[in-house]
Amino acid sequence: MTAYKDMTKEQLMQEKSELVKKYEEIKGYGLNLDMSRGKPGKEQLDITLPMMDVLASSSDYKCENGMDVRNYGVMDGIPEMKRLLVELLGYKAEQMILYGNSSLNVMYDTVARSMLFGVQGCTPWCKLDKVKFLCPVPGYDRHFAITQQFNIEMINIPLKEDGPDMDMVEELVSKDEAIKGIWCVPKYSNPTGVTYSDEVVKRFAALKPAAKDFRIFWDNAYAIHHLYADNQDELLNLGAECEKAGNPNIYYEFCSTSKVTFPGSGVAALISSVENIQEIKKELTIQTIGHDKVNQLRHVRFFQNADGVKAHMMKHADIIRPKFETVLDRLEQELAPLQIATWTVPKGGYFISLNTLEGCAKKVVEKCKEAGVVMTSAGATYPYGKDPMDSNIRIAPTFPSADELAKAAEVFILCVKLVSVEKLLDA
Amino acid sequence: MTAYKDMTKEQLMQEKSELVKKYEEIKGYGLNLDMSRGKPGKEQLDITLPMMDVLASSSDYKCENGMDVRNYGVMDGIPEMKRLLVELLGYKAEQMILYGNSSLNVMYDTVARSMLFGVQGCTPWCKLDKVKFLCPVPGYDRHFAITQQFNIEMINIPLKEDGPDMDMVEELVSKDEAIKGIWCVPKYSNPTGVTYSDEVVKRFAALKPAAKDFRIFWDNAYAIHHLYADNQDELLNLGAECEKAGNPNIYYEFCSTSKVTFPGSGVAALISSVENIQEIKKELTIQTIGHDKVNQLRHVRFFQNADGVKAHMMKHADIIRPKFETVLDRLEQELAPLQIATWTVPKGGYFISLNTLEGCAKKVVEKCKEAGVVMTSAGATYPYGKDPMDSNIRIAPTFPSADELAKAAEVFILCVKLVSVEKLLDA
């Protein structure tokens, strides 16, 4: 195969006419496939089914501290579920609040609380003329949606192989008091799959922000979501580094079991310094009597301990690894020689991030949609939906079945080729 | 028995010395009893245990619209659970959003959203110099805690036998644009147990507030929480009345299964006009991907339909009615002849509301505590914890066992007598 850039105009035109023919053929199939969201597939949901037998009418509903989990009380979560997270993530129980089923909701709430009541005695953000967040890009669209909703100005920060551009982060936060936060997915990042290096984590911990109420929003969504049993990334514990650096209150860490058990029915958690957690609990006590403790008990009785969770995650890996490989193999075979796209090869998480030639992403996603394959909207991985190069596309291979995925990948690759060849012909 | 007011000083002193003796004796028992919160007792929790067998590993997890409830999606709740609430409360499914386990949290969120983003295009409340809420009193302490948290000024409105003083409500809302809401528990009110009359509901529906973004916060917490099978209160459907009155957007109704199934693990709902619900959904879509649909499915498969829920509520009634009767009988026998307190005799809900002689409530609650019986803090039923007469005490008889309750009632009655006799001697 010849790289497109090395083709003559005639060769490109010949290629285009073949691609158009194939594309029209595929449009006729009436496909209805979805590679847009990081949703587990049915087979993944099924491995958690035994959890549904753990609590039955004959079960004991007391948690360790003697409380009946069916009743009101224990606002911040039952001790044994906290301990499970402590084992997995390496914090102390006093640094945690367990929530309901959605860590996105916890992040939203954390921003909302800062807007309304301020952070550790500082002016509530809603009383300030301007609030800004740093946004490593490409990143997670739902993070950007939250800050946009609150009218918080978002500033793009390039996300490199080892994490965000820390020179830029350090400079910006040190001189601009309006910068109150940064969105991070530090492990198996959404969508690029990178894990922040030890150096990057340490530089985060050592930040000297102009704003006293600046916080790192550390969305550790894929903390244990490896694709391989051996070839795994390690992420430094942010809280421990922040303590060492004399910056114990600078971070909020978020996590959940959404992609461990059931996405709609898991347990989420907020982790931070004891001081931050105490402040938040004081406000939370007005907001709710408590979250679903029956479901917390169900989770911990099912997993027993961290090893139980880790073994479960390997079952997920065994299901989704082949899906990643299907897409990656096809990209490698069919796109690599043409030199019209680059992509990430993640070791965990839920996404492959692909960059087309400049100015092609929107058209590719549109063409896919016309042919019955839904991709994440082009631009979604950037604040305000604006990818300055119009080149990044997030591929989510986990939800479709193996068959569907092969077909979806075929359509996607065809669309990348077609839009690329059209671009080169237009140039 | 002679009424205290008719006793001579000598008789009162004699009475006091006997009461003090008894009180010191009881303090020696080392009791640890709780009549402070509207918590179901263990026996009540147990009647819901069969719900825990409804979804098992072998179950089908698809809801009516074909969605797998285990996965992400269906932000506003599964159709069959909405239909169950429609049957029970008489609204349309499009008027509902189902939430997680806590209606308190839904109310908090509704106030928070109004603060941050405003209501139907009006200025966000956080941008206003002053926001006020009307608070029928005595009322629910957690309502008042929410408005206090948001620095909303609370104005007491007397709660009468048929609902709030509507002359006062109408006058205040019609002339003060800063009044943005009113907290209501319209059925088996917390704590007095009154149900708003048809006329009161119609007057609410016909309000002509100065503020376009004034809303009635209708916490229908005890909609189906009757104590008797036959002697039940009926509440008009607020939404229907608001539509008739040309005021369709003026209300938010809140409800939950907290005291139907498990307090920590139920399903809550927000009900309003289609227009309000659409506005809220637009914001909610940023806030969460969705609530726990597995638990929604568990609930609806357990109950099947409204009749299933109603039958279940009668089981609750059979358990808690004797507890109410224990307290009410003792009050009637031991306090009525002394003419030192009045109290409500509710047909539903979770509370008995008792008024002591003026200036006695705080002392009674303190004395109870010293003797090992925790009551709701005196003053808690008023905004800012300030009962102007210092006379209202909320009694929550559901949580203690029958034995414990009898003992707790004995202590409570003794303390009312003792504080009253001291007051009369001081006068």
Side-chain angles (χ1 to χ4, degrees):
Chain A
M1 278 197 277
T2 314
Y4 278 3
K5 69 178 172 53
D6 299 327
M7 282 188 181
T8 63
K9 196 175 171 188
E10 285 65 36
Q11 285 174 311
L12 285 172
M13 286 180 67
Q14 173 63 22
E15 177 80 359
K16 181 181 168 184
S17 92
E18 282 165 30
L19 293 168
V20 167
K21 207 176 129 201
K22 260 199 221 160
Y23 181 72
E24 292 304 323
E25 210 178 294
I26 281 175
K27 273 214 293 191
Y29 295 168
L31 296 176
N32 182 13
L33 304 170
D34 194 333
M35 290 205 294
S36 74
R37 304 300 317 175
K39 274 171 87 164
K42 182 180 181 312
E43 215 187 324
Q44 284 178 271
L45 300 176
D46 286 348
I47 65 171
T48 301
L49 278 175
M51 188 175 81
M52 301 309 279
D53 300 327
V54 161
L55 290 183
S57 58
S58 57
S59 300
D60 163 37
Y61 285 85
K62 288 222 166 114
C63 63
E64 283 183 2
N65 64 8
M67 290 282 300
D68 189 324
V69 295
R70 301 170 299 176
N71 221 326
Y72 292 116
V74 198
M75 184 191 69
D76 56 342
I78 65 173
E80 49 266 68
M81 183 69 199
K82 283 192 179 182
R83 196 172 54 243
L84 186 69
L85 291 178
V86 166
E87 277 183 57
L88 280 169
L89 298 171
Y91 286 88
K92 288 178 289 185
E94 310 88 78
Q95 293 182 270
M96 284 182 189
I97 301 172
L98 304 187
Y99 282 77
N101 69 326
S102 158
S103 63
L104 184 76
N105 186 233
V106 183
M107 294 179 233
Y108 179 96
D109 246 37
T110 306
V111 176
R113 194 172 36 246
S114 308
M115 294 294 295
L116 287 164
F117 305 115
V119 174
Q120 296 286 6
C122 296
T123 308
W125 298 353
C126 73
K127 304 281 184 202
L128 301 174
D129 289 336
K130 178 64 95 179
V131 175
K132 302 177 191 172
F133 257 57
L134 304 183
C135 299
V137 288
Y140 179 32
D141 54 352
R142 289 189 185 271
H143 286 163
F144 305 150
I146 290 174
T147 22
Q148 184 164 4
Q149 169 96 332
F150 287 104
N151 203 21
I152 291 173
E153 185 182 319
M154 295 180 274
I155 300 167
N156 292 0
I157 303 287
L159 182 66
K160 306 197 289 188
E161 285 298 303
D162 62 346
D165 181 332
M166 291 309 294
D167 291 340
M168 199 169 161
V169 170
E170 284 164 354
E171 202 200 327
L172 286 168
V173 305
S174 71
K175 70 179 190 194
D176 188 352
E177 216 187 332
I179 297 175
K180 301 297 187 189
I182 180 167
W183 287 120
C184 297
V185 184
K187 193 160 180 185
Y188 302 137
S189 179
N190 176 353
T192 66
V194 306
T195 296
Y196 295 7
S197 70
D198 291 0
E199 196 209 329
V200 163
V201 176
K202 284 172 201 262
R203 286 176 75 177
F204 264 113
L207 281 177
K208 297 283 171 257
K212 273 189 195 164
D213 50 353
F214 171 87
R215 292 291 180 270
I216 302 162
F217 285 67
W218 200 249
D219 181 4
N220 206 352
Y222 307 105
I224 52 175
H225 301 59
H226 312 284
L227 285 173
Y228 303 94
D230 39 12
N231 186 19
Q232 300 183 346
D233 284 351
E234 294 272 353
L235 176 72
L236 269 191
N237 181 298
L238 178 64
E241 294 305 317
C242 290
E243 266 178 48
K244 279 189 228 164
N247 245 346
N249 295 334
I250 202 174
Y251 72 99
Y252 302 123
E253 180 164 336
F254 308 92
C255 63
S256 83
T257 68
S258 291
K259 290 178 182 93
V260 178
T261 57
F262 296 142
S265 312
V267 177
L270 169 64
I271 301 172
S272 192
S273 67
V274 174
E275 198 180 338
N276 283 344
I277 290 294
Q278 280 172 346
E279 181 194 28
I280 292 167
K281 272 194 204 172
K282 229 184 333 184
E283 280 154 5
L284 200 59
T285 200
I286 309 296
Q287 193 171 354
T288 184
I289 305 178
H291 300 99
D292 185 342
K293 300 181 298 296
V294 169
N295 202 34
Q296 291 170 18
L297 190 66
R298 183 182 288 118
H299 274 71
V300 71
R301 292 234 175 119
F302 176 56
F303 287 123
Q304 300 290 332
N305 52 40
D307 284 341
V309 179
K310 287 175 190 166
H312 195 71
M313 292 315 291
M314 277 303 108
K315 293 185 192 171
H316 282 293
D318 289 343
I319 296 167
I320 65 177
R321 195 187 323 107
K323 295 185 177 184
F324 276 84
E325 286 168 354
T326 294
V327 175
L328 289 167
D329 287 353
R330 288 191 162 241
L331 291 175
E332 189 56 36
Q333 285 163 32
E334 301 182 37
L335 283 189
L338 307 181
Q339 298 180 31
I340 52 173
T342 57
W343 53 88
T344 57
V345 180
K347 291 192 277 179
Y350 265 65
F351 305 103
I352 296 161
S353 176
L354 180 139
N355 285 321
T356 63
L357 299 177
E358 199 177 329
C360 291
K362 273 208 175 114
K363 286 180 194 150
V364 168
V365 170
E366 267 164 41
K367 279 221 184 304
C368 283
K369 195 176 172 191
E370 267 179 67
V373 175
V374 180
M375 306 295 299
T376 310
S377 304
T381 53
Y382 284 77
Y384 311 107
K386 285 185 195 155
D387 174 359
M389 308 283 276
D390 184 24
S391 74
N392 188 250
I393 297 177
R394 187 181 79 166
I395 303 171
T398 54
F399 186 66
S401 68
D403 278 2
E404 289 172 338
L405 187 67
K407 224 166 250 147
E410 187 192 337
V411 174
F412 173 71
I413 286 168
L414 177 67
C415 294
V416 174
K417 288 183 189 172
L418 183 53
V419 173
S420 302
V421 87
E422 281 172 349
K423 178 191 155 91
L424 292 168
L425 279 169
D426 273 359
Chain B
M1 279 196 276
T2 314
Y4 278 4
K5 68 178 171 55
D6 300 327
M7 283 187 181
T8 63
K9 196 174 172 191
E10 285 64 36
Q11 286 174 310
L12 284 172
M13 287 181 66
Q14 172 64 20
E15 176 81 359
K16 181 181 169 184
S17 92
E18 281 166 30
L19 292 169
V20 167
K21 206 176 130 201
K22 260 199 221 160
Y23 181 72
E24 293 304 323
E25 209 178 294
I26 282 176
K27 273 213 293 192
Y29 296 168
L31 297 177
N32 183 12
L33 305 169
D34 194 333
M35 291 204 294
S36 73
R37 305 300 317 174
K39 274 171 85 164
K42 183 182 179 312
E43 215 186 325
Q44 284 178 272
L45 301 176
D46 286 347
I47 63 170
T48 302
L49 279 174
M51 188 176 79
M52 301 309 280
D53 300 327
V54 161
L55 290 183
S57 59
S58 57
S59 300
D60 163 37
Y61 285 86
K62 287 222 167 112
C63 63
E64 282 183 0
N65 64 8
M67 290 283 300
D68 189 325
V69 295
R70 300 170 300 176
N71 221 326
Y72 292 117
V74 197
M75 185 191 69
D76 57 343
I78 66 173
E80 50 265 67
M81 183 68 200
K82 283 192 179 181
R83 195 171 55 243
L84 187 69
L85 290 179
V86 166
E87 276 183 58
L88 281 168
L89 299 171
Y91 286 88
K92 287 178 290 184
E94 311 88 78
Q95 292 181 271
M96 283 182 189
I97 300 172
L98 305 187
Y99 281 76
N101 70 326
S102 157
S103 63
L104 184 77
N105 186 233
V106 183
M107 293 178 232
Y108 179 96
D109 246 38
T110 305
V111 176
R113 193 171 36 246
S114 309
M115 293 295 294
L116 287 163
F117 305 115
V119 174
Q120 297 286 6
C122 296
T123 308
W125 297 353
C126 73
K127 304 283 185 202
L128 301 173
D129 290 335
K130 178 63 96 180
V131 176
K132 304 177 190 171
F133 257 57
L134 304 183
C135 299
V137 287
Y140 179 32
D141 54 352
R142 289 188 185 271
H143 287 164
F144 306 150
I146 290 174
T147 23
Q148 186 165 2
Q149 170 95 331
F150 286 104
N151 203 22
I152 291 172
E153 184 183 318
M154 295 181 275
I155 300 168
N156 292 359
I157 303 287
L159 181 66
K160 307 198 287 186
E161 284 297 305
D162 61 347
D165 181 331
M166 291 308 293
D167 291 340
M168 199 169 161
V169 170
E170 284 165 352
E171 201 200 329
L172 286 169
V173 305
S174 70
K175 69 180 192 195
D176 188 350
E177 217 187 331
I179 297 175
K180 301 297 186 187
I182 180 167
W183 287 119
C184 297
V185 183
K187 193 161 180 185
Y188 300 137
S189 179
N190 176 353
T192 65
V194 306
T195 296
Y196 295 8
S197 70
D198 291 359
E199 196 209 330
V200 164
V201 176
K202 283 173 201 260
R203 286 176 75 177
F204 263 112
L207 281 178
K208 297 282 170 256
K212 274 189 194 161
D213 50 353
F214 172 87
R215 292 290 181 270
I216 302 162
F217 285 67
W218 200 248
D219 181 4
N220 206 352
Y222 307 105
I224 51 175
H225 301 60
H226 312 286
L227 284 173
Y228 302 94
D230 39 12
N231 186 17
Q232 301 183 345
D233 284 349
E234 294 271 353
L235 176 71
L236 270 191
N237 180 299
L238 177 64
E241 294 306 317
C242 290
E243 268 179 47
K244 278 189 227 163
N247 245 347
N249 295 334
I250 202 174
Y251 73 99
Y252 302 124
E253 180 162 337
F254 308 92
C255 63
S256 83
T257 67
S258 290
K259 291 179 182 90
V260 178
T261 58
F262 296 141
S265 309
V267 177
L270 170 64
I271 301 173
S272 192
S273 66
V274 174
E275 197 179 340
N276 283 345
I277 290 294
Q278 279 172 347
E279 180 194 29
I280 292 166
K281 273 194 202 172
K282 230 185 330 186
E283 281 155 3
L284 200 60
T285 200
I286 308 296
Q287 192 170 356
T288 185
I289 305 179
H291 301 98
D292 185 342
K293 300 180 299 296
V294 169
N295 203 34
Q296 292 170 17
L297 190 66
R298 183 182 288 117
H299 274 71
V300 71
R301 291 232 177 121
F302 176 55
F303 288 123
Q304 300 291 331
N305 52 40
D307 284 342
V309 179
K310 287 175 190 166
H312 195 71
M313 292 314 291
M314 277 304 107
K315 293 186 192 170
H316 282 294
D318 290 342
I319 296 168
I320 66 176
R321 196 188 323 109
K323 295 186 176 182
F324 276 83
E325 286 167 354
T326 295
V327 176
L328 289 167
D329 287 352
R330 287 189 164 243
L331 291 175
E332 189 57 36
Q333 284 163 33
E334 300 182 38
L335 283 189
L338 306 181
Q339 299 179 31
I340 52 174
T342 56
W343 52 88
T344 57
V345 180
K347 292 191 278 179
Y350 264 64
F351 305 102
I352 296 162
S353 175
L354 180 139
N355 285 321
T356 63
L357 298 178
E358 198 175 332
C360 290
K362 272 207 177 116
K363 286 180 194 151
V364 169
V365 170
E366 266 164 41
K367 279 221 183 304
C368 283
K369 195 176 172 191
E370 267 179 67
V373 175
V374 180
M375 306 294 299
T376 310
S377 304
T381 52
Y382 284 76
Y384 310 106
K386 284 183 195 156
D387 173 359
M389 308 283 276
D390 184 24
S391 74
N392 189 249
I393 298 177
R394 187 181 78 166
I395 303 172
T398 55
F399 186 66
S401 69
D403 277 3
E404 289 172 338
L405 186 69
K407 224 166 252 148
E410 187 193 337
V411 175
F412 173 71
I413 287 167
L414 177 67
C415 293
V416 174
K417 287 183 189 172
L418 183 52
V419 173
S420 302
V421 89
E422 282 172 350
K423 179 190 154 93
L424 291 168
L425 280 169
D426 272 1

